[in-house]
């Protein structure tokens, strides 16, 4: 086999939040690392860029108060945060297209519908409280809850369609970004448990609380900066040879990219699970991983930015926070940058709605989406000075947004093996997280976990090495 160009203790595939966190943790513990990144930039699903003169968060951006791992990292890197603008009324568009203003968390629906939503929310909070986000499959009802769709379960609770739609979208269009008939009740409960409760998820002031001044991509960028030359861009890993430790040959890995051969004792795959399959494993991964990985798929959402010469909605006493399960853009917010006099709105178009608008020309799509925003904010919304659609579906090294989830029954069936290493190969990304699932916080937690697993395995190996002479003597 080819001589290695680079030899390290650990090679990490992917320079997103998970990979850059893991690399720094391992370095701190005295191991040498190299991070191989397919793209020409660091950050993965975090990407802060300037589009037509406007700084936009093309990927992840919000930080919520329970996200300790992310908050610690932000503090440690010396980054500043600011609160999302939230003065004034939120808006809701009802089934007949009527615009309602409201404050607080409860949508302005009829008293009857409000009662139904409150009752089911209470039921959901109680169920979520029983779910350990790290082990959702361990709940006594996991099998049952994983065999009914989120939509079907909600429709069993009530025949109030408006209540169902409003309850459904918190984990559906807004989080897993798949149609609510395409994932299970258990997957929905995990999504809520990963944020502490179902109520947290529907509370925009909680889940979409703060942003980082200058953009959230600085987290992986600053972490990568500390690694210096040990982060290599434009290096998609094509092949990963590994020694099966059960065959006895001191486990290790050899990765090849288009131009490099990298050898290490351990590897961390720090990218979305839908991309494991892009790597040729030699020998192949075990049957369990082959099967499991086929049951994980990315959700799909378009994040739309519209920048205006001023935040005109504030003049009408609107906070910018807008929801409607009946609108093309099911949620939208004030996304004005810190200290910017211009006003920015961000809207989201999810799952089948996203598929539908991608059938249209770019012009028609823009018109349809701005039309939807104008239902919330009035006709001025139709004339932004900058307009941008994040389309992660076309990104070869991501393939959707925000993250991956199991198909029906998959979480109960495979959940326990999601983070289990295979020989020297470890897995880390937001898609595998319990707390912080699908979020940057989860990516950081998974990066830390994979690093800790390797450090523990490494201590085990050292102990084994120390014991070896004794063993030989005993055998003789
Ligand atoms: P990520 O996907 O970021 O990193 C993996 C890296 O591996 C990528 O850089 C990729 O190029 C690389 N890679 C893949 N295959 C490779 C190979 N074979 N060889 C080499 N490199 C390879 N979260 C949040 O907390 N708040 C929010 O507001 C949002 N909002 C949001 C909006 C949008 C539009 C998106 C797309 C996502 C969010 N998220 C979010 C989610 C959050 O951005 C996401 O969960 C994490 O950034 C994922 O970080 P990871 O490091 O796990 O994977």
């Amino acid at each position: 086999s080819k001589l290695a160009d680079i030899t390290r203790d650990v090679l990490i595939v992917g320079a997103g939040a998970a990979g850059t966190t893991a690399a720094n943790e391992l370095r701190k513990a005295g191991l040498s690392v190299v991070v191989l990144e397919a793209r020409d930039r660091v950050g993965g699903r975090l990407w802060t860029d300037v589009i037509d003169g406007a700084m936009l968060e093309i990927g992840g951006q919000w930080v919520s108060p329970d996200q300790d791992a992310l908050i610690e990292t932000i503090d440690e890197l010396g980054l500043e945060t600011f609160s999302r603008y939230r003065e004034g009324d939120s808006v809701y568009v009802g089934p007949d297209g009527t615009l309602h203003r409201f404050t607080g968390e409860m949508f302005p629906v009829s008293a009857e519908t409000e009662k139904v939503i409150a009752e089911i929310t209470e039921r959901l909070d109680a169920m979520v409280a029983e779910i350990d986000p790290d082990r959702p499959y361990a709940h006594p009802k996991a099998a049952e809850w994983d065999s009914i769709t989120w939509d079907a379960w909600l429709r069993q609770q009530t025949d109030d369609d408006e209540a169902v739609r409003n309850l459904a979208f918190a984990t559906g269009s807004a989080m897993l970004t798949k149609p609510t008939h395409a994932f299970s009740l258990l997957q929905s409960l995990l999504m809520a448990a990963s944020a502490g409760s179902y109520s947290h998820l529907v509370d925009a002031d909680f889940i979409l609380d703060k942003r980082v001044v200058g953009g959230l991509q600085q987290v992986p960028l600053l972490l990568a900066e500390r690694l210096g030359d040990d982060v290599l861009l434009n290096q998609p890993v094509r092949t990963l040879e590994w020694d099966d430790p059960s065959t006895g040959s001191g486990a290790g890995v050899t990765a090849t990219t288009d131009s490099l051969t990298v050898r290490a004792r351990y590897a961390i795959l720090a990218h979305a699970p839908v991309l494991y399959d892009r790597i040729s494993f030699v020998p192949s991964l075990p049957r369990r991983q082959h099967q499991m990985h086929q049951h994980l798929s990315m959700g799909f959402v378009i994040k739309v930015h519209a920048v205006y010469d001023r935040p005109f909605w504030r003049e009408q006493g609107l906070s910018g926070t807008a929801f409607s399960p009946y609108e093309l853009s099911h949620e939208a917010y004030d996304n004005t940058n810190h200290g910017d006099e211009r006003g920015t709105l961000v809207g989201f178009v999810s799952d089948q709605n996203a598929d539908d608008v991608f059938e249209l020309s770019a012009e028609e799509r823009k018109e349809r989406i701005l039309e939807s925003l104008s239902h919330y904010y009035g006709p001025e919304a139709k004339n932004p000075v900058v307009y941008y659609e994040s389309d992660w579906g076309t990104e070869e090294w991501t393939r959707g947004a925000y993250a991956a989830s199991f198909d029906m029954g998959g979480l109960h069936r495979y959940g326990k093996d999601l983070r289990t290493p295979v020989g020297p190969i470890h897995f880390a990304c937001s898609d595998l997280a319990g707390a912080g699932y699908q979020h940057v916080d989860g990516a950081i937690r998974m990066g830390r976990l994979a690093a800790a697993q390797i450090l523990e395995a490494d201590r085990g190996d050292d102990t084994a090495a120390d014991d070896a002479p004794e063993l030989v003597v005993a055998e003789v």
Side-chain angles (χ1 to χ4, degrees):
S1 70
K2 206 183 142 198
L3 229 64
D5 299 305
I6 299 173
T7 304
R8 294 285 191 278
D9 291 318
V10 186
L11 74 83
I12 292 133
V13 185
T20 52
T21 297
N24 275 282
E25 293 291 312
L26 291 163
R27 263 260 198 106
K28 270 186 247 163
L31 297 194
S32 61
V33 297
V34 63
V35 182
L36 302 170
E37 168 54 51
R39 288 178 162 100
D40 61 1
R41 62 172 183 84
V42 161
R45 280 170 271 179
L46 295 177
W47 190 9
T48 311
D49 204 2
V50 176
I51 310 281
D52 300 332
M55 191 198 85
L56 303 180
E57 291 279 40
I58 295 171
Q61 62 168 65
W62 279 298
V63 184
S64 71
D66 62 326
Q67 296 177 334
D68 305 332
L70 175 57
I71 292 169
E72 270 168 36
T73 306
I74 286 171
D75 289 347
E76 203 259 325
L77 293 171
L79 294 169
E80 303 260 326
T81 58
F82 67 103
S83 293
R84 181 175 54 81
Y85 183 82
R86 63 192 70 174
E87 311 304 312
D89 293 343
S90 304
V91 289
Y92 173 80
V93 174
D96 60 356
T98 314
L99 181 76
H100 304 267
R101 286 179 169 235
F102 72 107
T103 52
E105 288 148 51
M106 182 57 87
F107 300 120
V109 290
S110 71
E112 188 49 42
T113 299
E114 180 170 332
K115 192 164 156 261
V116 173
I117 293 177
E119 274 168 15
I120 300 176
T121 298
E122 206 175 308
R123 219 168 297 162
L124 283 166
D125 276 338
M127 290 158 81
V128 169
E130 292 177 2
I131 296 275
D132 173 354
D134 282 322
R135 297 165 69 246
Y137 49 84
H139 190 279
K141 289 197 172 148
E144 184 189 326
W145 290 350
D146 210 21
S147 58
I148 183 164
T149 72
W150 174 225
D151 182 69
W153 183 83
L154 286 169
R155 293 197 186 277
Q156 276 181 0
Q157 312 308 304
T158 177
D159 49 19
D160 182 330
D161 181 69
E162 191 176 9
V164 167
R165 285 170 185 258
N166 277 313
L167 286 157
F169 97 81
T171 55
S173 339
M175 279 292 165
L176 298 170
T177 60
K178 289 178 173 178
T180 52
H181 59 258
F183 60 87
S184 72
L185 169 63
L186 185 67
Q187 184 71 65
S188 181
L189 296 175
L190 164 61
M191 189 69 242
S194 74
S197 69
Y198 180 83
S199 295
H200 276 171
L201 270 195
V202 291
D203 179 1
D205 289 348
F206 182 86
I207 198 79
L208 314 178
D209 182 28
K210 288 199 159 66
R211 290 175 55 194
V212 164
V213 177
L216 194 53
Q217 191 193 2
Q218 288 170 100
V219 165
L221 283 171
L222 291 173
L223 288 172
E225 207 173 285
R226 289 181 177 174
L227 300 165
D229 294 343
D230 286 333
V231 179
L232 301 173
L233 303 179
N234 300 304
Q235 297 292 343
V237 170
R238 307 287 188 193
T239 305
L240 195 70
E241 288 174 55
W242 57 286
D243 297 321
D244 181 347
S246 67
T247 64
S249 57
V253 290
T254 306
T256 46
T257 69
D258 299 336
S259 57
L260 289 174
T261 299
V262 181
R263 193 154 296 165
R265 293 192 293 130
Y266 301 94
I268 299 177
L269 302 187
H271 54 74
V274 294
L275 298 167
Y276 297 149
D277 198 35
R278 289 300 308 274
I279 299 173
S280 295
F281 295 91
V282 185
S284 62
L285 290 177
R287 115 175 29 81
R288 183 79 176 160
Q289 277 68 25
H290 278 170
Q291 279 286 302
M292 173 170 67
H293 296 157
Q294 292 181 65
H295 293 274
L296 286 157
S297 57
M298 296 297 274
F300 188 40
V301 60
I302 315 171
K303 183 178 186 180
V304 180
H305 276 102
V307 183
Y308 304 86
D309 60 1
R310 63 188 209 294
F312 65 87
W313 52 94
R314 295 183 189 173
E315 297 160 6
Q316 306 160 32
L318 296 180
S319 63
T321 303
F323 300 103
S324 175
Y326 305 100
E327 277 296 328
L328 178 62
S329 177
H330 65 270
E331 57 183 325
Y333 305 93
D334 186 319
N335 209 28
T336 303
N337 288 329
H338 184 67
D340 197 344
E341 44 183 64
R342 290 188 294 184
T344 301
L345 291 172
V346 65
F348 295 88
V349 179
S350 190
D351 55 271
Q352 276 171 229
N353 280 333
D355 299 344
D356 291 347
V357 293
F358 274 120
E359 299 275 306
L360 307 172
S361 70
E363 248 339 281
E364 280 178 284
R365 184 166 58 250
K366 176 177 173 184
E367 207 178 292
R368 287 275 310 278
I369 293 173
L370 290 176
E371 172 71 36
S372 179
L373 292 182
S374 77
H375 298 164
Y376 296 128
Y377 309 107
E380 265 197 278
K382 290 188 191 175
N383 298 304
V385 291
V386 177
Y387 175 86
Y388 184 78
E389 294 162 2
S390 303
D391 170 19
W392 290 85
T394 57
E395 292 274 327
E396 182 181 6
W397 302 106
T398 305
R399 303 185 171 210
Y402 310 106
S405 47
F406 276 111
D407 58 12
M408 285 297 300
L411 180 56
H412 165 252
R413 187 174 173 194
Y414 299 108
K416 77 177 170 61
D417 289 319
L418 206 48
R419 300 185 285 260
T420 309
V422 171
I425 306 172
H426 294 249
F427 304 91
C429 58
S430 67
D431 319 71
L432 312 182
Y437 172 49
Q438 300 230 350
H439 287 91
V440 180
D441 180 65
I444 292 172
R445 287 173 195 269
M446 291 301 98
R448 288 177 178 177
L449 179 69
Q453 284 173 345
I454 288 175
L455 292 172
E456 198 187 313
D458 207 38
R459 276 192 294 274
D461 288 354
D462 287 353
T463 319
D466 293 346
D467 287 350
E470 240 178 87
L471 267 173
V472 174
V473 172
E475 259 169 25
V476 168

